[in-house]
């Protein structure tokens, strides 16, 4: 197969599926797609896969991976994310990453840019071990954090760390469409050498005077964090005096997003603020909350779950591999039934103790002993 070819067009996909319907009769009990997978995993239709074409180190702990998706892929909108399956140590994990390349890219590939999360075994595996030629199962692009079809009104991007990826995708897309408006992009990183896409951003800013990139480095070498360099209204007024007139897209750690939401809310501008989170917002753990023994009924496994660790993580640490997707309570891929006992939704603090209730293990923790249908 020509690896630079674009994914199949809609008429091509219709033709493939019409042919498959006939050949499936001869492939029973499997499907034609299972045999096609042996020839080229990108041609399968029962599973969407992508081939790693290239890896590129952005910083010492972040890497851009170029992926060539299979036939069933459909284009993304700038700012959307995709689910990626990662096999590690015989287990299958799923993580969600923002697509960092622009939809206008002409080679049929897309990129994700992954930063190692502290204590994150999957992100570490992707950044350290993934190599060209590997195949990964992927989902279709999802998410409602994307640019409007209409020309955005003077966008303001506020990002930090790997939160720069959706903003970068949007900026690249606007440039590719030759409709980049007056844009301000404030980005927080600890040091200059931690700046993801640093070289490219410098080139973009020089080539496109409308792209006003304002990096804020929160630490100097050998120095502890300085509070004054973090996001504040005074700093925003200085870096972007007309922020009230702009459409703001923000992505970064919880603390930054909370501060931005409070400021926009106070200014009565919430409708002009679009926020993308990488993690669910969790409520404070009640002082009297306790964990318990989590029994996974189908697997016959029991494990200790503390009051602040998600049941999904408890299951994975116990060697199980439950279905999951976003890991932040959005996709419902992890839904299961509470058979007995008590769990707590970590976002709201709500205690769920009715047997038969549907629970989301990715954002629920044990609240005493409990049993799940997993
Ligand atoms: S993994 Fe998406 S809701 Fe739990």
């Amino acid at each position: 197969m020509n690896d630079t070819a674009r994914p199949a067009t809609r008429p091509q996909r219709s033709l493939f599926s019409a042919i498959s319907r006939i050949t499936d009769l001869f492939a029973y009990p499997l499907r034609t797609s299972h045999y096609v997978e042996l020839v080229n995993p990108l041609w399968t239709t029962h599973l969407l896969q992508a081939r790693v074409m290239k890896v590129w180190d952005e910083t010492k702990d972040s890497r851009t991976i170029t992926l060539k998706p299979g036939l069933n892929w459909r284009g993304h909108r700038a700012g959307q994310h995709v689910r990626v399956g990662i096999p590690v140590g015989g287990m299958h994990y799923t993580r969600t990453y923002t697509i960092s390349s622009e939809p206008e890219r002409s080679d049929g590939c897309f990129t994700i840019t992954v930063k190692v999360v502290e204590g994150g075994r999957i992100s570490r595996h992707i950044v350290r071990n993934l190599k060209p030629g590997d195949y990964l199962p992927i989902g279709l692009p999802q998410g409602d954090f994307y640019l409007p079809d209409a020309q955005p009104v003077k966008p303001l991007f506020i990002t930090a760390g790997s939160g720069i990826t959706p903003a970068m995708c949007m900026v690249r897309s606007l440039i590719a469409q030759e409709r980049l408006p007056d844009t301000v992009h404030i980005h927080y990183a600890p040091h200059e050498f931690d700046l993801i896409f640093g070289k490219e951003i410098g080139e973009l800013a020089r080539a496109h005077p409308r792209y006003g990139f304002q990096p804020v480095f929160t630490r100097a070498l050998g120095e502890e964090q300085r509070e004054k360099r973090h996001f504040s209204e005074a700093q925003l007024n200085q870096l972007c005096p007309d922020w009230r007139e702009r459409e703001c897209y923000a992505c970064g750690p919880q603390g930054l997003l909370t501060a931005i939401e409070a400021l926009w809310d106070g200014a009565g501008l919430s409708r002009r603020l679009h926020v993308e989170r990488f993690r669910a917002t969790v409520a404070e753990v009640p002082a009297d909350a306790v964990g318990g023994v989590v029994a996974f009924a189908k697997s016959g496994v029991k494990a200790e779950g503390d009051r602040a660790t998600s049941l999904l993580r408890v299951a994975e640490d116990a060697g199980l591999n439950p279905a999951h997707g976003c890991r932040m309570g959005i996709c419902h891929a992890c839904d299961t039934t509470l058979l007995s006992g008590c769990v707590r939704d970590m976002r709201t603090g709500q205690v769920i103790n009715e047997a038969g209730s549907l629970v989301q293990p990715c954002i629920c923790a044990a609240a005493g002993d409990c049993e799940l249908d997993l």
Side-chain angles (χ1 to χ4, degrees), residues 47-66:
L47 177 71
L48 180 56
Q49 302 198 63
R51 181 178 183 196
V52 177
M53 303 300 288
K54 187 177 158 190
V55 296
W56 170 262
D57 288 329
E58 297 284 353
T59 64
K60 66 179 188 318
D61 61 356
S62 66
R63 174 174 273 190
T64 289
I65 292 119
T66 304

Side-chain angles (χ1 to χ4, degrees), residues 83 94 96 312 323-335 347 359-363:
R83 279 197 283 168
T94 305
T96 301
L312 178 59
H324 62 276
C326 64
R327 304 179 79 89
M328 54 191 291
I330 296 173
C331 71
H332 288 275
C334 65
D335 282 4
R347 296 168 302 182
V359 293
Q360 293 168 282
C362 68
I363 41 88

Side-chain angles (χ1 to χ4, degrees), residues 281-294:
T281 310
V282 295
E284 205 167 313
V285 181
D288 57 352
V290 291
V293 175
V294 186

Side-chain angles (χ1 to χ4, degrees), residues 6 64 66-67 73-80 98-113 147 165-178 197 200 204:
R6 292 184 66 81
T64 289
T66 304
L67 294 166
W73 177 254
R74 63 168 160 74
H76 66 285
R77 299 189 66 155
Q80 285 192 304
T98 303
I99 299 172
S100 49
S101 56
E102 70 280 16
E104 292 77 16
R105 187 175 168 136
S106 61
D107 62 0
C109 296
F110 69 91
T111 62
I112 55 171
T113 302
L147 282 175
T165 48
M168 200 55 195
C169 179
M170 293 178 183
V171 170
R172 286 168 168 163
S173 179
L174 289 168
I175 290 174
Q177 294 174 49
E178 298 181 351
F197 312 123
E200 181 184 350
L204 288 182

